[in-house]
Amino acid sequence: MLTGCLRKGSKSTRLKMALMLLVLSCQFVHVLSEKSSSALTVVESTETSLDDEDAHHMEEESDPEDLNVFRPTDQWQSLKPGQAVPRGSHVRLNLQTRQREVKLGEHQILKYQIDGQRQGKENTPGPSFNAEELKKALKNIKEGVDPETSDKEEKEALRAQFRPMEELKRDMAKLDMLMESDFQVISRLMSQFNSSNTTVEEKIKALHDLEYLVHQVDNAQNLASRGGLKLVVDALNSTDYRLQESAAFVLGSALSSNPVVQVGAVESGTLQKLLMLLATPRPMSVKKKALFAVASLLRHFPFAQSHFLKLGGLQVLGDLFRASDGGALRVRIVTILYDMINEKELISQTGLDPIPDASHNERLQQYAQISLMPLLAEQGWCRLVPELLASPEHDWKEKALRTILAMMPHCQTQYRQDYTLSSSLRTLQEQYQELVLSEQVLGDEDGYFGEILALLETVLLKLK
């Protein structure tokens, strides 16, 4: 039939047909050289059990132990020589790379999606076993190997990958030995400070580290129980002003709101040494730290306040207030006096004890024994405190006004006779009225200047 067609066609038609036959023949020969009966075909299967078909196919062709089964995905992948392909896969010959390529068939993708074994686009191969592993497993089954023994071996292998708990505990214990507690640090700093081989700079550094620790109540009490408080107090007698300043700073931090340490300080004569620093020529930095320690010792401690008055503490503060270089300390001195007056007034009022406890009555008796106000009037504090109103600082003026009001019962007569004080108060009243108006313009109805103006008006009212 083909010969008839060629006879009827022209010469050019015959050449084209011959060329096509030649190309087809070459392609057919190439396919045969690849030794694959499925190189240019797509084999699809309609069976529902892929595992049964694969097993049957492998039994017919070769030993399963020798097969290298390729696991295709939904994308075309190159197939290496000798690799087996599951039934139902698409196989093609890539004419450009001259390699066979394979991918899953449509029904295989659907099956793996339903079974949850495949995600469609990700090739997640399952566990693979070589021929030796399979032979060993079959041998164990035939010989009846105890599964419990196998489990023990697996557990031992797993245990070998991790460190025993006892070993971890020993290592953690070693780490704990390297970490110092606050108590150990305080002991080490005390030994360093008390050593005769320690330089002044090293002692100052040790005191600086102690000051950081004794802010905590327990650490301050540990310092006192270990005898460290006495070492710090003795440093107040040092000839080096830097040691005096650092020691007073440590005392102020340790005494703050710590009754146990306050009692130990009074019993060890700390108050006398602090007053000595304030009464004798010392640098301003030393006096500031000493005054800080005195304030911490007296706060909420009537027993120390009583000793303070007996030792002439008010006279020491008065001389310091009058001194030409005592300007920076004036507001701190007035604050100490105000706190002492206010504490006694608050605790004497029923139900206003800031820290109710079983020793309330005892503290009432201790405060009752303190005769502070008559001493303040006697030693000229009614005249000294108003001098602070001339300060340019608003905070200083506020503290002076509050102290003047607290001293008013014993100083009222003297205040009424002081025309300079009345004139100063009226001038301040006018200034703060203007400041209050400026606050109100800015939208601050209850500002800081309004509080000071209220104090001024109260003082003027009591002087009428």
Side-chain angles (χ1 to χ4, degrees):
M1 184 176 183
L2 178 61
T3 304
C5 293
L6 291 174
R7 289 176 180 177
K8 294 178 182 180
S10 61
K11 185 176 181 180
S12 60
T13 303
R14 294 194 197 101
L15 291 175
K16 291 180 180 179
M17 293 298 294
L19 183 59
M20 291 177 61
L21 288 173
L22 181 59
V23 172
L24 290 175
S25 300
C26 293
Q27 184 68 32
F28 184 74
V29 171
H30 177 74
V31 171
L32 291 177
S33 65
E34 294 289 336
K35 297 181 180 180
S36 175
S37 60
S38 61
L40 293 176
T41 61
V42 176
V43 181
E44 298 190 12
S45 174
T46 57
E47 297 294 329
T48 58
S49 177
L50 180 61
D51 297 335
D52 294 343
E53 292 175 355
D54 291 342
H56 178 70
H57 179 66
M58 292 168 63
E59 290 176 358
E60 289 180 353
E61 294 185 356
S62 59
D63 189 354
E65 296 178 358
D66 300 331
L67 285 178
N68 181 11
V69 181
F70 181 82
R71 297 183 180 276
T73 64
D74 62 341
Q75 301 293 330
W76 289 107
Q77 292 179 308
S78 298
L79 188 65
K80 296 180 181 180
Q83 285 185 318
V85 179
R87 290 216 177 172
S89 303
H90 292 305
V91 181
R92 74 178 182 183
L93 177 64
N94 192 324
L95 297 179
Q96 295 180 352
T97 61
R98 299 294 180 178
Q99 293 182 353
R100 288 183 299 163
E101 297 179 349
V102 63
K103 74 173 183 177
L104 290 173
E106 287 78 2
H107 75 283
Q108 290 177 312
I109 297 175
L110 180 61
K111 179 179 182 299
Y112 290 148
Q113 287 177 345
I114 295 174
D115 294 343
Q117 298 175 357
R118 302 274 180 163
Q119 299 300 323
K121 294 185 178 181
E122 181 180 0
N123 184 19
T124 55
S128 59
F129 304 93
N130 55 31
E132 293 298 329
E133 292 175 342
L134 291 174
K135 289 179 180 179
K136 185 177 179 180
L138 291 173
K139 183 179 179 181
N140 291 337
I141 294 175
K142 292 179 181 180
E143 294 179 356
V145 177
D146 188 3
E148 295 182 359
T149 304
S150 179
D151 292 341
K152 291 180 180 179
E153 293 178 356
E154 293 180 0
K155 291 181 180 178
E156 291 296 332
L158 183 63
R159 188 178 292 109
Q161 299 177 6
F162 300 95
R163 300 173 62 186
M165 182 59 69
E166 296 300 326
E167 183 179 349
L168 291 175
K169 289 181 179 180
R170 288 195 299 269
D171 291 345
M172 293 300 294
K174 292 179 181 179
L175 291 175
D176 290 339
M177 292 176 62
L178 298 176
M179 296 176 59
E180 289 182 310
S181 64
D182 286 351
F183 183 81
Q184 293 172 330
V185 174
I186 290 174
S187 301
R188 176 173 56 80
L189 292 174
M190 288 169 49
S191 300
Q192 180 181 356
F193 181 81
N194 197 32
S195 175
S196 58
N197 298 326
T198 306
T199 63
V200 175
E201 286 72 16
E202 291 174 344
K203 289 185 177 181
I204 293 174
K205 185 179 183 303
L207 289 174
H208 181 271
D209 294 339
L210 276 176
E211 192 278 330
Y212 174 79
L213 292 171
V214 296
H215 280 281
Q216 296 185 11
V217 174
D218 294 339
N219 289 339
Q221 293 178 1
N222 289 333
L223 177 68
S225 64
R226 293 278 298 174
L229 187 65
K230 183 178 183 303
L231 293 176
V232 177
V233 172
D234 291 342
L236 297 175
N237 295 329
S238 174
T239 56
D240 194 303
Y241 292 147
R242 296 175 298 171
L243 281 177
Q244 294 177 357
E245 178 184 353
S246 298
F249 195 25
V250 174
L251 287 174
S253 300
L255 293 168
S256 182
S257 302
N258 200 329
V260 175
V261 182
Q262 286 176 327
V263 172
V266 172
E267 292 177 350
S268 63
T270 303
L271 188 57
Q272 293 92 318
K273 294 181 179 181
L274 290 172
L275 291 176
M276 182 63 66
L277 292 179
L278 295 174
T280 55
R282 291 289 190 281
M284 181 59 63
S285 59
V286 175
K287 292 190 175 183
K288 285 182 178 179
K289 293 299 188 293
L291 194 60
F292 165 61
V294 170
S296 298
L297 180 58
L298 299 182
R299 189 174 295 112
H300 300 299
F301 192 24
F303 181 72
Q305 294 178 17
S306 178
H307 276 266
F308 172 76
L309 297 179
K310 292 177 181 179
L311 293 172
L314 278 181
Q315 184 64 41
V316 173
L317 295 183
D319 295 339
L320 189 59
F321 190 93
R322 296 183 185 92
S324 58
D325 59 346
L329 300 177
R330 284 188 169 191
V331 66
R332 303 187 185 191
I333 295 172
V334 170
T335 301
I336 292 175
L337 298 179
Y338 174 76
D339 289 341
M340 293 175 64
I341 298 171
N342 195 45
E343 284 176 19
K344 183 176 181 180
E345 182 65 22
L346 288 177
I347 200 170
S348 64
Q349 299 178 16
T350 306
L352 294 181
D353 185 16
I355 310 176
D357 52 28
S359 62
H360 176 66
N361 293 330
E362 181 179 354
R363 282 186 296 165
L364 278 176
Q365 295 176 0
Q366 291 177 351
Y367 275 110
Q369 296 175 0
I370 299 174
S371 180
L372 177 60
M373 294 298 296
L375 287 176
L376 290 174
E378 179 182 341
Q379 295 186 16
W381 285 100
C382 295
R383 180 180 55 81
L384 292 176
V385 173
E387 292 182 8
L388 204 60
L389 293 174
S391 170
E393 299 293 334
H394 299 292
D395 180 59
W396 292 21
K397 295 174 184 177
E398 178 196 359
K399 288 182 170 58
L401 290 170
R402 293 186 183 279
T403 307
I404 289 172
L405 284 174
M407 297 169 59
M408 189 66 70
H410 287 77
C411 300
Q412 188 175 29
T413 303
Q414 186 174 346
Y415 287 158
R416 286 176 176 175
Q417 297 175 356
D418 190 347
Y419 297 104
T420 304
L421 175 60
S422 299
S423 176
S424 299
L425 291 173
R426 291 190 183 93
T427 302
L428 289 174
Q429 183 183 26
E430 295 176 357
Q431 293 176 358
Y432 280 97
Q433 284 175 348
E434 295 178 359
L435 292 173
V436 169
L437 290 176
S438 63
E439 282 185 331
Q440 293 176 353
V441 170
L442 296 175
D444 192 357
E445 297 293 337
D446 300 323
Y448 178 61
F449 296 142
E451 295 180 6
I452 298 179
L453 179 61
L455 291 174
L456 283 166
E457 293 175 347
T458 303
V459 171
L460 289 171
L461 182 63
K462 290 183 177 293
L463 293 182
K464 290 182 179 181

